[in-house]
Amino acid sequence: MINRIEIQGFKSIQKMDLKLSSINILIGANGAGKSNFINFFKLLYQLYHQDLQNYVAEEAGAENILHLGLKHTEKLFGRIEFDSTNAYLFTLATNQQGSLYFQHEITQFHHGFPSWDEVILGKGYLESKLKDTEGARYRYVNTYMSSFKVFHFHDTSKTAKIKQKGSIDDNRVLREDGGNLAAYLFYLQETSPKDFRKIENVIRTVAPYFEGFDLKPDKIRNDQIQLAWRQKGSDMSFFAMHLSDGTLRFMTLVTLLLQPNLPTTIIIDEPELGLHPFAINKLAGLIKKASAQSQVIVSTQSTDLVDNFAPEDVIIVDRNQTDSVFKRLDSLSLQNWLKNYTLGNLWHKNVIGGTP
């Protein structure tokens, strides 16, 4: 589990040092910095997979990555500590081409002594060396760094991948946008039928008309598959286009959180989009269940979702002029308020912050 993360000079985050727990629900006003915190994990994921330069290009240069731009910030620093025994840290600096390179890249190991043992992977290069570094002591850090996907199931348009036919072999992991949901569910149906049935059962609690999935290879091209389902009282097959956007997103969230082999870290950006309050409450239960095996980080605007969690699970994100400020809540300071109000009420009333 990530137990601590430090960031300096990234977008709206000038400097932060935050302890994380098994459940981390980020709330705050639009523009406060929640998305930038989530986006930092996207940076880490692409950095680990030696795709840093592509990330910089997607962000239109270092100017849009460094805090307040190149004139104000010259370097980006990050440190991620895992279970108080391993850590990864790096400093990225700008070059004359307006991109970023590694000024240094370091892994740290702690064995109960006062100080950390450091291994310097190198400096002066454009892509990370961590992935290619062999040895048992790096395996733990690599496992975490390779898992930092940001899941966002927002695209449910007519052209969304989740609504199209796709390769039946694209089933190793559920993709960040849920585009391979049909292939992944078919894989679970064939290899983990018990978990597959659990997913169907939870979906029925929110969509009672849903009988179950009808997943088969395409009759003409058996290397293709499309998301299909059955409706109660009908022998017809229906497809993703026949589902509401909220129901389709809920199906994907249930699959993510109930899959048999959960990612080490689950990061979800605004999962409540288009969901009915009842579905949001179900989602909260799934997050709690998943947190027993994985660390969960969620960015949300939903008071209904927040109401399902303890103050210690919630991180308030506020904007102090140009800088994002992060603060974890605690029950003790709110005990009198919580006798009469929910966390969502206190957020709405601006008692705990996180509002414009």
Side-chain angles (χ1 to χ4, degrees):
M1 185 173 76
I2 306 168
N3 66 296
R4 183 178 176 184
I5 184 166
E6 299 176 58
I7 306 172
Q8 293 179 28
F10 180 72
K11 295 182 179 283
S12 65
I13 306 172
Q14 181 186 33
K15 187 176 182 179
M16 65 157 284
D17 186 346
L18 184 68
K19 291 183 178 180
L20 298 184
S21 59
S22 57
I23 299 177
N24 306 273
I25 309 296
L26 281 81
I27 65 174
N30 291 328
K34 302 186 307 297
S35 295
N36 290 338
F37 181 78
I38 295 294
N39 195 262
F40 185 74
F41 287 94
K42 180 182 177 182
L43 166 64
L44 292 176
Y45 183 78
Q46 292 192 238
L47 181 153
Y48 173 76
H49 287 282
Q50 300 174 339
D51 204 19
L52 173 61
Q53 300 312 311
N54 188 51
Y55 175 86
V56 175
E58 289 174 349
E59 296 290 326
E63 175 74 21
N64 298 306
I65 297 173
L66 298 174
H67 179 64
L68 299 182
L70 294 168
K71 291 183 179 180
H72 188 272
T73 304
E74 297 180 351
K75 300 175 183 179
L76 190 166
F77 171 79
R79 183 178 185 273
I80 309 94
E81 186 178 308
F82 309 103
D83 295 329
S84 302
T85 56
N86 294 266
Y88 171 77
L89 62 136
F90 63 91
T91 298
L92 300 177
T94 55
N95 58 24
Q96 291 183 347
Q97 287 73 43
S99 189
L100 296 172
Y101 71 93
F102 283 86
Q103 192 170 70
H104 69 246
E105 185 179 25
I106 296 172
T107 55
Q108 295 179 324
F109 307 92
H110 195 280
H111 304 288
F113 301 105
S115 60
W116 291 77
D117 293 334
E118 288 191 349
V119 176
I120 299 175
L121 300 180
K123 59 182 180 179
Y125 40 80
L126 294 175
E127 298 293 352
S128 170
K129 294 187 180 298
L130 178 63
K131 184 179 179 181
D132 297 330
T133 304
E134 298 180 356
R137 66 186 310 181
Y138 302 102
R139 198 169 299 137
Y140 190 84
V141 174
N142 285 349
T143 299
Y144 273 100
M145 292 290 292
S146 63
S147 74
F148 289 152
K149 292 182 180 179
V150 177
F151 292 94
H152 50 88
F153 306 132
H154 298 178
D155 186 8
T156 52
S157 64
K158 290 182 180 180
T159 58
K161 290 181 180 179
I162 197 171
K163 292 186 175 181
Q164 310 302 317
K165 291 181 182 179
S167 171
I168 200 168
D169 295 323
D170 185 12
N171 58 19
R172 189 172 64 86
V173 294
L174 183 64
R175 294 194 176 277
E176 296 94 317
D177 62 356
N180 66 333
L181 180 63
Y184 189 68
L185 281 170
F186 182 72
Y187 170 77
L188 294 182
Q189 175 183 279
E190 299 301 306
T191 61
S192 304
K194 184 177 179 180
D195 297 291
F196 179 77
R197 287 192 296 271
K198 284 181 183 178
I199 291 170
E200 289 185 314
N201 289 337
V202 172
I203 293 170
R204 282 190 207 102
T205 64
V206 169
Y209 56 83
F210 173 78
E211 178 70 34
F213 290 107
D214 188 17
L215 301 170
K216 302 171 185 175
D218 186 79
K219 289 184 178 180
I220 298 175
R221 293 190 58 186
N222 59 14
D223 62 338
Q224 298 284 298
I225 193 168
Q226 186 173 9
L227 188 68
W229 58 281
R230 301 181 306 278
Q231 181 172 296
K232 289 183 178 179
S234 174
D235 58 0
M236 288 180 59
S237 286
F238 294 87
F239 300 95
M241 68 180 71
H242 300 116
L243 293 165
S244 70
D245 291 349
T247 303
L248 185 55
R249 292 188 187 109
F250 185 72
M251 285 180 172
T252 316
L253 287 163
V254 173
T255 304
L256 170 64
L257 294 167
L258 283 183
Q259 61 183 297
N261 299 310
L262 288 167
T264 306
T265 310
I266 301 175
I267 307 164
I268 317 176
D269 187 20
E270 295 190 350
E272 75 278 3
L273 186 64
L275 298 189
H276 186 276
F278 181 77
I280 290 175
N281 291 337
K282 282 286 181 181
L283 171 63
L286 294 173
I287 289 172
K288 291 177 181 178
K289 179 179 175 63
S291 71
Q293 300 179 53
S294 300
Q295 187 171 35
V296 184
I297 301 170
V298 174
S299 169
T300 184
Q301 295 276 20
S302 171
T303 56
D304 290 321
L305 185 62
V306 171
D307 278 341
N308 285 273
F309 294 95
E312 286 74 14
D313 298 328
V314 177
I315 298 169
I316 303 295
V317 187
D318 280 311
R319 191 70 171 254
N320 180 10
Q321 295 182 338
T322 59
D323 305 334
S324 296
V325 180
F326 298 79
K327 179 185 70 174
R328 187 177 290 277
L329 297 179
D330 68 274
S331 297
L332 186 61
S333 63
L334 296 172
Q335 60 181 345
N336 291 330
W337 284 102
L338 292 173
K339 292 176 182 178
N340 300 303
Y341 300 99
T342 67
L343 271 181
N345 294 149
L346 299 182
W347 183 16
H348 184 71
K349 293 176 179 292
N350 200 25
V351 172
I352 57 177
T355 57

